Coordinates of all heavy atoms in Angstrom, one line a residue:
S1 N 32.3 -43.7 16.2 CA 33.4 -42.8 15.9 C 34.7 -43.1 16.6 O 35.8 -43.0 16.1 CB 33.0 -41.4 16.2 OG 32.7 -41.2 17.6
K2 N 34.6 -43.6 17.9 CA 35.8 -43.7 18.7 C 36.0 -45.2 19.1 O 37.2 -45.5 19.5 CB 35.6 -42.9 20.0 CG 36.9 -42.7 20.8 CD 36.8 -41.8 21.9 CE 38.1 -41.7 22.8 NZ 37.9 -40.8 23.9
Y3 N 35.0 -46.0 19.1 CA 35.1 -47.4 19.5 C 34.6 -48.3 18.4 O 33.8 -49.2 18.7 CB 34.3 -47.6 20.8 CG 34.7 -46.6 21.9 CD1 34.1 -45.4 22.1 CD2 35.6 -47.0 22.9 CE1 34.4 -44.5 23.1 CE2 36.0 -46.2 23.9 CZ 35.4 -44.9 24.0 OH 35.7 -44.1 25.0
G4 N 35.2 -48.2 17.3 CA 34.7 -48.8 16.1 C 34.9 -50.3 16.0 O 34.3 -51.0 15.2
N5 N 35.7 -50.9 17.0 CA 35.9 -52.3 17.0 C 34.8 -53.0 17.8 O 34.9 -54.2 18.0 CB 37.3 -52.7 17.5 CG 37.5 -52.3 18.9 OD1 37.1 -51.2 19.3 ND2 38.3 -53.1 19.6
T6 N 33.9 -52.3 18.4 CA 32.8 -52.8 19.2 C 31.9 -53.7 18.4 O 31.5 -53.3 17.4 CB 32.0 -51.7 19.9 OG1 32.9 -50.9 20.7 CG2 30.9 -52.2 20.8
T7 N 31.6 -54.9 19.0 CA 30.6 -55.8 18.3 C 29.3 -55.8 19.0 O 28.3 -56.2 18.4 CB 31.2 -57.2 18.3 OG1 31.5 -57.7 19.6 CG2 32.5 -57.2 17.4
G8 N 29.3 -55.4 20.3 CA 28.0 -55.4 21.0 C 28.1 -54.8 22.4 O 29.2 -54.8 23.0
I9 N 27.0 -54.3 22.9 CA 26.9 -53.8 24.2 C 25.6 -54.1 24.9 O 24.6 -54.0 24.2 CB 27.2 -52.2 24.2 CG1 27.2 -51.6 25.6 CG2 26.2 -51.5 23.3 CD1 27.7 -50.2 25.6
V10 N 25.6 -54.4 26.1 CA 24.4 -54.7 26.9 C 24.5 -53.9 28.2 O 25.5 -53.9 28.9 CB 24.2 -56.2 27.2 CG1 23.1 -56.4 28.2 CG2 24.0 -57.0 25.9
I11 N 23.3 -53.3 28.5 CA 23.3 -52.5 29.8 C 22.1 -53.1 30.6 O 20.9 -53.1 30.1 CB 23.1 -51.0 29.5 CG1 24.2 -50.4 28.7 CG2 22.9 -50.2 30.9 CD1 24.0 -49.0 28.2
I12 N 22.3 -53.5 31.8 CA 21.3 -53.9 32.7 C 21.2 -53.0 33.9 O 22.2 -52.7 34.6 CB 21.5 -55.4 33.2 CG1 21.7 -56.3 32.0 CG2 20.5 -55.8 34.2 CD1 22.0 -57.8 32.4
K13 N 20.0 -52.4 34.2 CA 19.8 -51.5 35.3 C 18.7 -52.1 36.2 O 17.6 -52.4 35.7 CB 19.4 -50.1 34.7 CG 18.9 -49.1 35.8 CD 20.0 -48.7 36.8 CE 19.5 -47.6 37.7 NZ 20.4 -47.3 38.8
D14 N 19.1 -52.2 37.4 CA 18.1 -52.8 38.4 C 17.6 -54.1 38.0 O 16.4 -54.4 38.1 CB 17.0 -51.8 38.7 CG 17.4 -50.5 39.3 OD1 18.3 -50.5 40.2 OD2 16.9 -49.4 38.9
G15 N 18.4 -54.9 37.4 CA 18.0 -56.3 37.0 C 17.3 -56.4 35.7 O 16.9 -57.5 35.3
I16 N 17.1 -55.2 35.0 CA 16.3 -55.2 33.7 C 17.2 -54.7 32.6 O 17.9 -53.7 32.7 CB 15.1 -54.3 33.8 CG1 14.2 -54.8 35.0 CG2 14.3 -54.2 32.5 CD1 13.0 -53.8 35.3
V17 N 17.2 -55.5 31.5 CA 17.9 -55.0 30.3 C 17.4 -53.8 29.7 O 16.2 -53.7 29.3 CB 17.9 -56.1 29.2 CG1 18.7 -55.7 28.0 CG2 18.6 -57.4 29.7
S18 N 18.1 -52.7 29.8 CA 17.6 -51.4 29.4 C 18.2 -51.0 28.0 O 17.7 -50.0 27.4 CB 17.9 -50.3 30.4 OG 19.4 -50.2 30.5
Y19 N 19.2 -51.7 27.6 CA 19.9 -51.4 26.3 C 20.6 -52.6 25.8 O 21.3 -53.2 26.5 CB 20.8 -50.2 26.4 CG 21.5 -49.7 25.1 CD1 20.8 -48.9 24.2 CD2 22.8 -50.1 24.8 CE1 21.4 -48.5 23.0 CE2 23.4 -49.7 23.7 CZ 22.7 -48.9 22.8 OH 23.3 -48.5 21.6
E20 N 20.4 -52.9 24.5 CA 21.1 -54.0 23.9 C 21.3 -53.7 22.4 O 20.3 -53.4 21.7 CB 20.3 -55.3 24.0 CG 21.0 -56.5 23.5 CD 20.2 -57.8 23.7 OE1 19.1 -57.7 24.3 OE2 20.7 -58.9 23.3
K21 N 22.6 -53.6 22.0 CA 22.8 -53.1 20.6 C 24.0 -53.9 20.0 O 25.0 -54.1 20.8 CB 23.1 -51.6 20.6 CG 23.4 -51.0 19.2 CD 22.1 -51.0 18.4 CE 22.4 -50.3 17.0 NZ 21.2 -50.2 16.2
Y22 N 24.0 -54.2 18.8 CA 25.1 -54.9 18.1 C 25.6 -54.1 16.9 O 24.9 -53.4 16.3 CB 24.6 -56.3 17.7 CG 24.2 -57.1 18.9 CD1 22.9 -57.1 19.3 CD2 25.2 -57.7 19.8 CE1 22.5 -57.8 20.5 CE2 24.8 -58.3 20.9 CZ 23.4 -58.4 21.3 OH 23.1 -59.0 22.5
F23 N 26.9 -54.3 16.6 CA 27.6 -53.5 15.6 C 28.4 -54.4 14.7 O 28.6 -55.6 15.0 CB 28.5 -52.5 16.3 CG 27.9 -51.6 17.3 CD1 27.7 -52.0 18.6 CD2 27.4 -50.3 16.9 CE1 27.1 -51.2 19.5 CE2 26.7 -49.5 17.8 CZ 26.6 -49.9 19.2
K24 N 28.9 -53.9 13.6 CA 29.8 -54.6 12.7 C 29.1 -55.8 12.1 O 29.8 -56.9 11.9 CB 31.1 -54.9 13.4 CG 31.9 -53.7 13.8 CD 33.2 -54.1 14.5 CE 34.2 -54.7 13.5 NZ 34.7 -53.6 12.5
G25 N 27.8 -55.8 11.9 CA 27.1 -56.9 11.4 C 26.9 -58.1 12.4 O 26.4 -59.2 12.0
C26 N 27.2 -57.8 13.6 CA 27.0 -58.9 14.6 C 25.5 -58.9 15.2 O 24.8 -58.0 15.0 CB 28.0 -58.7 15.8 SG 29.7 -58.9 15.4
T27 N 25.2 -60.1 15.8 CA 23.9 -60.2 16.4 C 24.0 -60.7 17.8 O 25.1 -60.8 18.3 CB 23.1 -61.3 15.6 OG1 23.7 -62.6 15.8 CG2 23.1 -61.0 14.1
A28 N 22.9 -61.0 18.4 CA 22.9 -61.4 19.8 C 23.6 -62.8 20.0 O 24.1 -63.1 21.1 CB 21.5 -61.6 20.3
N29 N 23.7 -63.5 18.9 CA 24.4 -64.8 18.9 C 25.9 -64.8 18.6 O 26.6 -65.8 18.7 CB 23.7 -65.8 17.9 CG 22.3 -66.1 18.3 OD1 22.0 -66.3 19.5 ND2 21.4 -66.2 17.4
S30 N 26.4 -63.6 18.2 CA 27.8 -63.5 17.9 C 28.7 -63.6 19.1 O 28.4 -62.9 20.2 CB 28.1 -62.1 17.2 OG 27.3 -62.0 16.0
R31 N 29.7 -64.3 19.0 CA 30.7 -64.5 20.2 C 32.0 -64.1 19.7 O 32.5 -64.3 18.6 CB 30.7 -66.0 20.6 CG 29.4 -66.6 21.1 CD 29.5 -68.1 21.2 NE 28.3 -68.6 21.9 CZ 27.2 -68.9 21.4 NH1 26.9 -68.6 20.1 NH2 26.2 -69.4 22.1
V32 N 32.7 -63.4 20.7 CA 34.1 -63.0 20.4 C 35.0 -63.5 21.5 O 34.6 -63.9 22.6 CB 34.2 -61.5 20.2 CG1 33.3 -60.9 19.1 CG2 33.9 -60.8 21.6
H33 N 36.3 -63.5 21.1 CA 37.3 -63.8 22.1 C 37.4 -62.7 23.1 O 37.7 -61.6 22.7 CB 38.7 -64.0 21.4 CG 39.8 -64.3 22.3 ND1 41.1 -64.1 21.9 CD2 39.9 -64.7 23.6 CE1 41.9 -64.4 22.9 NE2 41.2 -64.8 23.9
V34 N 37.1 -63.0 24.4 CA 37.1 -61.9 25.4 C 38.4 -61.7 26.1 O 38.4 -60.9 27.1 CB 35.9 -62.2 26.4 CG1 34.6 -62.1 25.7 CG2 36.1 -63.5 27.2
Y35 N 39.4 -62.4 25.7 CA 40.8 -62.2 26.3 C 40.8 -62.3 27.8 O 40.3 -63.3 28.3 CB 41.4 -60.9 25.8 CG 41.6 -60.8 24.3 CD1 40.7 -60.5 23.4 CD2 42.9 -61.2 23.8 CE1 40.9 -60.5 22.0 CE2 43.2 -61.3 22.4 CZ 42.2 -60.9 21.5 OH 42.5 -60.9 20.2
S36 N 41.2 -61.3 28.5 CA 41.5 -61.4 30.0 C 40.2 -61.4 30.8 O 40.3 -61.6 32.0 CB 42.4 -60.3 30.4 OG 43.7 -60.5 30.0
V37 N 39.0 -61.2 30.2 CA 37.8 -61.4 30.9 C 37.8 -62.9 31.4 O 37.2 -63.2 32.4 CB 36.6 -61.1 30.0 CG1 35.3 -61.6 30.7 CG2 36.5 -59.6 29.7
T38 N 38.5 -63.7 30.6 CA 38.6 -65.2 31.0 C 39.1 -65.3 32.4 O 38.7 -66.2 33.2 CB 39.5 -65.9 30.0 OG1 39.1 -65.6 28.7 CG2 39.6 -67.4 30.3
K39 N 40.0 -64.4 32.8 CA 40.6 -64.5 34.2 C 39.5 -64.4 35.2 O 39.6 -65.1 36.2 CB 41.7 -63.4 34.4 CG 42.9 -63.5 33.5 CD 43.9 -62.4 33.9 CE 45.2 -62.5 33.1 NZ 45.0 -62.2 31.7
S40 N 38.6 -63.5 35.1 CA 37.6 -63.3 36.1 C 36.6 -64.5 36.1 O 36.1 -64.8 37.2 CB 36.8 -62.0 35.8 OG 37.7 -60.9 35.8

């Protein structure tokens, strides 16, 4: 509803993947331009 341009989200808690979900027809192999994440 509010973050409709999201293509994927991953949550890791205590070193374990606890949530992994993809949106807009994307999959785990989908890659997007991450913009300023490049700086880090």
